[in-house]
Amino acid sequence: SQTIHQWPATLVQPVGSPLSLECTVEGTSNPNLYWYRQAAGRGLQLLFYSVGIGQISSEVPQNLSASRPQDRQFILSSKKLLLSDSGFYLCAWSVTGDNQPQHFGDGTRLSIL
Amino acid sequence: KNQVEQSPQSLIILEGKNCTLQCNYTVSPFSNLRWYKQDTGRGPVSLTIMTFSENTKSNGRYTATLDADTKQSSLHITASQLSDSASYICVVSAGWASKIIFGSGTRLSIRP
């Protein structure tokens, strides 16, 4: 069966520090991969999605970046965190095709101090 | 503008009771509508997916309905259990990836 792992589960970082959140998927090949941010009381906001290795599409201009060095690995990064980067970050995968559900990881709670 | 609005924002009911959550959308073109359950501190989990031609779909005690003409959907929970306490998110897809619009969710609390 397919599983998705995100880590760390929680992270507290000072303003201006770098960031690296990792997401890996097991049990499937060539998944579509997504990074979302969820703010309290708001819907999920798509940050990045990827259809293959090295292929990244960005939805929201910001100081975050994403990379997909391997088929089932998706990394969210920042060189210098802002206070506004605090939030709940969710990674998801889906198979290619219409009407396919997204499967989410358990998220990373990021707090910027 | 593509939007998904859910109501109520929060709901408290007694264990064993039924409830219905609402979702209105203005997403176009329409591809599918999904309901997710999100436990506190966890990622959302898919409950149902409905395409344009489907007007109802069940998953155990959860039944989703879709009226594509009025652009409304509902999620009905029967005989609620304490484990149903969670946020329920309505998601409408207008195509793929960047055209997936999430509602802000309904926070459901089940009281014993």
Side-chain angles (χ1 to χ4, degrees):
Chain A
S1 63
Q2 302 90 355
T3 57
I4 179 169
H5 303 279
Q6 270 189 258
W7 67 93
T10 59
L11 187 61
V12 180
Q13 292 283 100
V15 169
S17 64
L19 173 73
S20 180
L21 302 182
E22 190 161 342
C23 171
T24 59
V25 181
E26 297 177 357
T28 187
S29 296
N30 196 31
N32 295 327
L33 296 172
Y34 313 81
W35 277 112
Y36 287 93
R37 177 166 56 204
Q38 185 176 33
R42 306 280 297 276
L44 272 69
Q45 178 188 39
L46 179 65
L47 301 175
F48 302 95
Y49 66 93
S50 171
V51 299
I53 296 174
Q55 301 179 63
I56 310 293
S57 295
S58 173
E59 287 300 303
V60 183
Q62 58 218 324
N63 68 320
L64 299 172
S65 62
S67 61
R68 185 171 178 173
Q70 301 180 45
D71 181 45
R72 290 169 290 178
Q73 184 184 30
F74 207 22
I75 298 172
L76 183 68
S77 304
S78 175
K79 292 182 179 179
K80 205 179 261 192
L81 287 166
L82 305 173
L83 281 174
S84 58
D85 291 325
S86 292
F88 190 48
Y89 288 83
L90 288 159
C91 179
W93 73 272
S94 70
V95 299
T96 304
D98 294 336
N99 305 323
Q100 298 296 326
Q102 290 173 303
H103 306 276
F104 288 84
D106 280 336
T108 294
R109 176 72 60 189
L110 176 63
S111 299
I112 309 301
L113 303 179
Chain B
K1 182 180 178 183
N2 290 328
Q3 285 186 315
V4 176
E5 296 184 352
Q6 293 187 243
S7 61
Q9 282 189 316
S10 62
L11 181 64
I12 301 174
I13 63 172
L14 293 176
E15 185 179 10
K17 298 296 185 182
N18 304 335
C19 67
T20 300
L21 313 180
Q22 300 291 341
C23 173
N24 296 337
Y25 62 93
T26 58
V27 179
S28 181
F30 176 85
S31 178
N32 62 69
L33 185 145
R34 316 169 190 181
W35 282 95
Y36 284 85
K37 177 187 179 187
Q38 184 176 21
D39 293 318
T40 301
R42 306 292 297 274
V45 175
S46 179
L47 294 175
T48 62
I49 297 177
M50 289 182 292
T51 60
F52 184 88
S53 59
E54 298 173 296
N55 54 25
T56 187
K57 185 162 282 188
S58 293
N59 178 358
R61 294 179 296 102
Y62 301 103
T63 299
T65 64
L66 172 64
D67 186 333
D69 291 330
T70 62
K71 298 187 177 181
Q72 296 180 325
S73 176
S74 64
L75 180 68
H76 186 74
I77 304 175
T78 304
S80 61
Q81 301 176 359
L82 295 178
S83 59
D84 293 330
S85 294
S87 288
Y88 291 84
I89 303 172
C90 177
V91 185
V92 181
S93 174
W96 188 80
S98 61
K99 300 305 180 186
I100 300 174
I101 313 300
F102 287 75
S104 57
T106 291
R107 178 69 199 172
L108 176 64
S109 298
I110 311 298
R111 297 284 187 253

